[in-house]
Amino acid sequence: MVRLNENYLKLPGSYLFSTIGKKVAAYTEEHPDAKVIRLGIGDVTQPLVPAIVRALHEAVEEMGHAETFHGYAPDLGYAFLRETIAEKDYRARGCDIAADEIFISDGAKSDCGNIQEIFSADARIAVCDPVYPVYVDSNVMAGRTGEYDEKTGTWSRVIYMPCTAENGFVPRLPEETPDLIYLCVPNNPTGTALTRDQLAVWVDYANSVGAVILYDAAYEAYIAQDDVPHSIFEIPGARTCAIEFRSFSKNAGFTGVRLGFTVVPKDLKRGGAAAHSLWARRHGTKFNGAPYIVQKAAMAVYSEEGKAQLKDQVAYYMRNAKVIYDGLKEAGYEVYGGINAPYIWLKVPDGMTSWDFFDYLLEKAHVVGTPGSGFGPSGEGYFRLTAFGNYENTAEAIERIRRLKKG
Ligand code: MLT
């Protein structure tokens, strides 16, 4: 009899945000009158901007006529979009990236989860702790993580790099040598970022030990400080050691539209093989291309009109971030992030765990956030709020938390 992949049985019961969703659903069923404000999952709330809506309409119209109809998209993405990304996101910033090094996909989450397939089964992974759960869970599924220790909440083969207030949320180079290093900058969940100099340390390290950096830059659009790089390819040496993931979810509101891309430089080789060829092979075999209409919509992201509208949208969310950051700080909380990212990371009151604080906020303020421990053992004692809500709800949520604190 066939056996199921037992690695899946080692995973936590459900994905973090499903667990939160279930808890909130149970609470609202019991308390139907509670006006619950959700600042948990980092999902956008503002509508697609007019330039994107128009591009979608036009592309749908094209699909309705035989002469302009499009069937399967090219597996790796339409040339018009790959060229535009290479030019506007990379070469315009001085990064040496060619259009055929860009792989269009249905989103960064899929690519972050799938990329581990092109590496050896025995690769050791290193992750920041706290960490976006997809990096670890996808490696658990592939059997790369060893055994789970309930007490510490860690996997025996994973190298955890604590990022806490004590080290300014900057991971230290690990003592054991990893093969794959996941870095998310600006960071989900802490909302903090690495400077160019701090990232250069990692690029030099990866090149010196032969490791590969899997660089998640999904929140790049929120970078406000000049010394924070927008791409790892701004760092000399990154072409031989890094893969970068980008998303249209957070900069253009595509969480429900789905589109992202991954940059795999042709210079990234290990054991004589090029990661680029393997990822192209994987993409071609398992993916039939992102929809034409969605790739056309992405073109509007790079138009002058689209850029201006999206700049306002990012500013809208960052105004929320400021309301959260300032409001919590004034209320006496220790607060981090929110400058280069739409996430605020706060220290929970002494004597509470992250999940205690989750329950406390839900019950007393009807505000939903994400417990830090859900992102890893070093997230215990912290809590994440997202700036992706609408302004009125965000301001109301912070007011409720402040009132609660005052007693
Ligand atoms: C989050 O809340 O961490 C995000 O929604 C994650 C994601 O983009 O998948």
Side-chain angles (χ1 to χ4, degrees), residues 379-406:
E380 182 55 276
Y382 291 92
F383 198 76
R384 192 191 78 175
L385 291 173
T386 158
F388 284 124
N390 74 39
Y391 179 75
E392 293 70 27
N393 281 349
T394 303
E396 164 75 23
I398 297 309
E399 193 42 46
R400 290 187 200 167
I401 298 174
R402 283 161 58 105
R403 277 204 300 268
L404 196 58
K405 181 88 173 180
K406 277 192 205 136

Side-chain angles (χ1 to χ4, degrees), residues 174-239:
E175 276 161 29
E176 295 166 271
T177 307
D179 300 301
L180 299 174
I181 302 163
Y182 287 86
L183 293 179
C184 176
V185 184
N187 189 258
N188 179 14
T190 66
T192 57
L194 297 181
T195 63
R196 214 166 259 112
D197 289 349
Q198 288 167 337
L199 187 55
V201 169
W202 284 94
V203 169
D204 292 346
Y205 171 75
N207 276 321
S208 72
V209 299
V212 170
I213 298 176
L214 301 171
Y215 192 78
D216 185 349
Y219 299 93
E220 170 275 334
Y222 293 84
I223 293 172
Q225 292 176 322
D226 289 342
D227 59 352
V228 176
H230 287 250
S231 163
I232 195 167
F233 298 112
E234 289 178 36
I235 312 295
R239 281 189 58 86

Side-chain angles (χ1 to χ4, degrees), residues 186-375:
N187 189 258
N188 179 14
T190 66
T192 57
L194 297 181
T195 63
R196 214 166 259 112
D197 289 349
Q198 288 167 337
L199 187 55
V201 169
W202 284 94
V203 169
D204 292 346
Y205 171 75
N207 276 321
S208 72
V209 299
V212 170
I213 298 176
L214 301 171
Y215 192 78
D216 185 349
Y219 299 93
E220 170 275 334
Y222 293 84
I223 293 172
Q225 292 176 322
D226 289 342
D227 59 352
V228 176
H230 287 250
S231 163
I232 195 167
F233 298 112
E234 289 178 36
I235 312 295
R239 281 189 58 86
T240 51
C241 70
I243 291 176
E244 178 165 296
F245 306 96
R246 290 277 191 103
S247 167
F248 288 92
S249 289
K250 316 291 159 111
N251 65 334
F254 276 33
T255 54
V257 177
R258 308 307 309 150
L259 199 72
F261 62 89
T262 291
V263 185
V264 189
K266 290 190 182 146
D267 298 344
L268 176 56
K269 297 186 178 146
R270 293 294 180 267
H276 183 278
S277 317
L278 269 63
W279 188 242
R281 186 69 170 86
R282 190 228 169 252
H283 226 57
T285 304
K286 296 194 174 182
F287 186 60
N288 247 343
Y292 174 74
I293 53 176
V294 176
Q295 294 194 52
K296 283 301 264 191
M299 290 298 283
V301 171
Y302 296 95
S303 69
E304 287 310 312
E305 188 193 354
K307 266 199 300 208
Q309 292 167 354
L310 290 172
K311 198 168 159 220
D312 289 349
Q313 197 167 74
V314 166
Y316 176 94
Y317 291 130
M318 289 313 273
R319 179 167 69 133
N320 290 348
K322 190 165 164 40
V323 165
I324 302 174
Y325 187 99
D326 291 350
L328 293 179
K329 208 153 184 118
E330 270 170 43
Y333 284 98
E334 220 178 283
V335 200
Y336 304 94
I339 308 286
N340 295 297
Y343 292 122
I344 281 76
W345 190 243
L346 62 129
K347 201 112 187 59
V348 306
D350 285 345
M352 275 191 185
T353 65
S354 301
W355 276 110
D356 289 342
F357 192 63
F358 173 90
D359 291 334
Y360 171 75
L361 276 198
L362 180 58
E363 282 161 28
K364 305 278 187 225
H366 301 156
V367 172
V368 180
T370 309
S373 56
F375 297 102

